[in-house]
Amino acid sequence: MSERGLLIVLSGPSGVGKGTVRKAIFDSEGNEFEYSISMTTRQMRTGEKEGVDYFFRSREEFEELIQTGKMLEYAEYVGNYYGTPLDYVNQTLDSGKDVFLEIEVQGAMKVKEKVPDGVFIFLTPPDFDELKSRIVNRGTDDMAVIDERMKVAREEVDMMRHYDYAVVNDKVDLAVDRIKKIIESEHYRVDRVIHRYEKMLKEF
Ligand code: 5GP
């Protein structure tokens, strides 16, 4: 049987650029991990595709999946549900592949409770002004949504202390590099690999 894969969680405040960094990671070469496509009840934005960016579902369908235990985690964020379908994550990890989630912080903390040996990476802005201008310049939401996202972002930044790694998103390609190095190194942690060497260690 193959070893179970690693669960990698990329999270951070609204507007920090999680989606951009995640896309750049998956556009880059040499990844050996699979992206878990999230489910959401929010409206599809221009350019988005069903089953690529998200699985877009009604609130009723989403709530049904919550009630039947089909979500690894979910969060209600600015009036919509977002969540990670459980079956895909389990099947992929069981097949020995790593799974990469890009989710907001409430959901990440729920995953941490359920999967404490996951790799929790917090993407941080260089400073708060930078985050504010990213939220305002995004231009996809109206002012009420922007204000709500800023309020949420302030609380979210403080969640950094609960993560294993903090990666600054000053430049996307640098952030991508840092995250890929973290994932690679995690595969060599002694607590993850010692079982492979037990026989050899006994023989010495
Ligand atoms: P957006 O509406 O801009 O695509 O995403 C809003 C927020 O939801 C982002 O912070 C994104 O990381 C987060 N998000 C996307 N998918 C999931 C998910 O499956 N679970 C949780 N908890 N958050 C998610």
Side-chain angles (χ1 to χ4, degrees):
M1 209 181 93
S2 54
E3 286 176 27
R4 205 166 145 86
L6 289 185
L7 184 60
I8 302 146
V9 179
L10 178 67
S11 191
S14 171
V16 73
K18 297 187 292 293
T20 307
V21 168
R22 181 255 301 169
K23 282 185 191 130
I25 289 173
F26 282 89
D27 284 345
S28 70
E29 302 280 304
N31 297 320
E32 291 182 12
F33 38 85
E34 306 285 320
Y35 177 56
S36 161
I37 299 165
S38 294
M39 193 169 282
T40 185
T41 59
R42 82 149 160 74
Q43 291 286 312
M44 196 186 280
R45 293 184 185 136
T46 315
E48 287 184 332
K49 288 201 183 82
E50 162 67 20
V52 175
D53 298 283
Y54 284 104
F55 297 110
F56 294 92
R57 294 291 180 271
S58 67
R59 284 187 81 82
E60 292 69 30
E61 286 171 299
F62 201 108
E63 283 168 357
E64 166 79 21
L65 293 169
I66 296 170
Q67 271 145 28
T68 51
K70 298 276 187 204
M71 305 303 277
L72 169 62
E73 61 74 35
Y74 70 93
E76 199 155 5
Y77 178 82
V78 199
N80 285 299
Y81 284 125
Y82 293 82
T84 304
L86 180 62
D87 286 352
Y88 175 81
V89 171
N90 269 340
Q91 283 157 14
T92 311
L93 293 176
D94 284 347
S95 77
K97 286 189 193 139
D98 299 345
V99 175
F100 188 102
L101 308 184
E102 179 246 301
I103 61 178
E104 55 67 65
V105 291
Q106 300 169 57
M109 291 299 97
K110 286 190 209 151
V111 177
K112 199 174 175 199
E113 277 166 29
K114 289 189 181 171
V115 190
D117 70 342
V119 182
F120 293 85
I121 305 171
F122 190 87
L123 194 65
T124 175
D127 54 56
F128 209 76
D129 287 345
E130 174 76 26
L131 185 63
K132 187 169 183 185
S133 77
R134 286 187 203 181
I135 291 177
V136 172
N137 292 332
R138 198 185 244 184
T140 49
D141 299 309
D142 63 29
M143 276 316 286
V145 175
I146 288 172
D147 282 353
E148 175 66 16
R149 286 190 180 221
M150 281 304 299
K151 183 173 154 277
V152 172
R154 254 179 227 110
E155 292 159 10
E156 289 173 335
V157 172
D158 194 58
M159 300 300 282
M160 181 197 290
R161 62 188 82 254
H162 302 294
Y163 286 72
D164 301 314
Y165 297 93
V167 169
V168 64
N169 186 20
D170 45 359
K171 287 221 164 68
V172 172
D173 53 344
L174 295 179
V176 166
D177 246 31
R178 293 169 186 139
I179 291 168
K180 290 176 76 159
K181 283 184 186 136
I182 289 168
I183 296 170
E184 192 185 349
S185 308
E186 279 286 329
H187 282 276
Y188 298 104
R189 283 175 59 115
V190 167
D191 55 349
R192 297 198 194 280
V193 299
I194 185 103
H195 63 275
R196 292 184 203 156
Y197 302 102
E198 292 294 7
K199 188 164 171 282
M200 179 186 82
L201 292 172
K202 279 195 200 104
E203 283 166 4
F204 268 93

